[in-house]
Amino acid sequence: MNVIRRAYTTKSLIPPNLASATKLSGSSKNGQMNEVVDFYKRLPKGAAQVTKPSGPWGHYKARYIDGDNASVTPLLHALFGIFVIGYSIDYHFHLKHHKNGNHH
């Protein structure tokens, strides 16, 4: 339902075919062409402003993932995190019971 509603609301933003024969001949739908022209006049011009990253994930992404800074460091961080979590689980459920001798 949400997809249908979104498609209906964005329909007014999608301009009609500008090269159609009725638009070029100057028929009675000239008002619709004026709406399209007004729509394009209101669009911002130039390049989009660069936003500064916010929050810890935004700073991490800007430092290691985006643009020219892209590297394999996030993959290494993920592997290290998985290792730490796995070792912690092993220690809690198995290794801490064996630190004073065998219990098997």
Side-chain angles (χ1 to χ4, degrees), residues 75-86:
L75 178 64
L76 298 176
H77 289 163
L79 290 174
F80 180 74
I82 290 170
F83 172 77
V84 168
I85 291 170

Side-chain angles (χ1 to χ4, degrees), residues 26-42:
S27 69
S28 65
K29 294 185 178 182
N30 215 6
Q32 187 178 9
M33 188 64 174
N34 288 338
E35 288 178 18
V36 172
V37 170
D38 290 339
F39 171 76
Y40 280 108
K41 282 184 182 178
R42 287 181 299 194

Side-chain angles (χ1 to χ4, degrees), residues 15 17-18 26 28 33 48-49 55 58 67 85 89:
N17 186 3
L18 296 177
S28 65
M33 188 64 174
Q49 295 178 356
I85 291 170
I89 291 171

Side-chain angles (χ1 to χ4, degrees), residues 60 64 69-79:
Y60 183 84
Y64 294 112
N69 301 332
S71 67
V72 296
T73 307
L75 178 64
L76 298 176
H77 289 163
L79 290 174

Side-chain angles (χ1 to χ4, degrees), residues 5-18:
R5 187 179 316 132
R6 188 177 306 143
Y8 179 75
T9 58
T10 58
K11 187 186 290 186
S12 63
L13 297 177
I14 301 171
N17 186 3
L18 296 177

